[in-house]
């Protein structure tokens, strides 16, 4: 046994090449929204489940319609949230607004947040568009909508 160990130690060591592949950052998102319609307004509650891989996120941004009011933002590690104007287009028309959600610390892994919103319906006799909140920054996005 000792001889075998000595022979093994006497052999030259060979170089080993390790090939690594860079793993790209990836953010996937699945949302589920329940939209309730009554005579005066749309009320919605949306759940957003992010899977943040190989990166960290300090802020989430959503595009919201002009006449939509955000009533709730909940989730782990949220420091603050605010709604800002996204600006105007070349024709001077007011564009969409943005909801920015800021976190105390960088977030990674699975992250779930909820947003509540309301949109007033001004004319029930005319066709109306359901309010749609668009997330920014996801590599892949799936959304589900239930109308109540």
């Amino acid at each position: 046994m000792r001889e075998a160990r000595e022979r093994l130690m006497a052999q030259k060591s060979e170089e080993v090449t390790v090939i690594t592949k860079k793993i790209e950052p990836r953010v996937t998102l699945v949302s589920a929204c329940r939209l309730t319609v009554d005579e005066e307004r749309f009320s919605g509650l949306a759940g957003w489940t992010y899977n943040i891989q190989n990166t960290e996120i300090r802020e989430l941004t959503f595009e919201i319609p002009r006449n939509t009011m955000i009533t709730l933002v909940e989730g782990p590690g949220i420091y603050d949230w605010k709604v800002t104007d996204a600006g105007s287009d070349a024709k001077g028309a007011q564009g969409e607004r943005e909801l920015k959600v800021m976190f105390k610390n960088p977030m990674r892994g699975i992250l779930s947040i909820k947003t509540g919103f309301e949109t007033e319906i001004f004319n029930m006799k005319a066709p109306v568009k359901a309010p749609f909140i668009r997330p920014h920054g996801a590599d892949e996005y799936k959304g589900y909508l239930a109308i109540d």
Side-chain angles (χ1 to χ4, degrees):
M1 181 83 147
R2 186 175 182 181
E3 291 174 9
R5 189 179 319 162
E6 287 175 2
R7 266 189 272 137
L8 194 60
M9 298 293 272
Q11 293 178 351
K12 291 185 178 181
S13 64
E14 296 180 22
E15 282 188 31
V16 176
T17 303
V18 177
I19 300 172
T20 60
K21 181 180 177 183
K22 182 180 178 185
I23 300 174
E24 295 296 324
R26 184 164 174 77
V27 178
T28 57
L29 170 62
V30 176
S31 73
C33 179
R34 188 183 89 221
L35 194 61
T36 303
V37 184
D38 66 20
E39 293 180 12
E40 303 170 352
R41 68 175 184 248
F42 289 106
S43 297
L45 182 63
W48 309 91
T49 303
Y50 285 84
N51 186 357
I52 306 162
Q53 302 170 346
N54 308 315
T55 190
E56 295 177 334
I57 291 181
R58 292 182 179 271
E59 180 178 280
L60 296 173
T61 304
F62 300 87
E63 186 178 308
I64 61 173
R66 281 191 316 263
N67 57 347
T68 297
M69 180 177 67
I70 300 296
T71 58
L72 169 79
V73 178
E74 287 182 345
I78 293 177
Y79 171 68
D80 196 11
W81 61 273
K82 64 181 176 179
V83 175
T84 60
D85 288 330
S88 57
D89 62 16
K91 297 176 184 175
Q94 287 295 321
E96 302 288 316
R97 297 180 308 145
E98 287 183 338
L99 166 65
K100 291 188 182 276
V101 180
M102 292 142 295
F103 298 96
K104 294 176 191 171
N105 298 309
M107 304 302 284
R108 62 178 4 176
I110 303 295
L111 169 65
S112 294
I113 66 169
K114 289 182 184 178
T115 56
F117 58 94
E118 290 183 357
T119 302
E120 190 173 346
I121 299 173
F122 296 106
N123 182 1
M124 284 299 290
K125 294 180 181 179
V128 293
K129 287 185 179 180
F132 184 70
I133 297 176
R134 292 175 180 83
H136 290 218
D139 298 309
E140 183 179 319
Y141 171 56
K142 289 182 190 177
Y144 301 93
L145 174 64
I147 297 177
D148 187 12

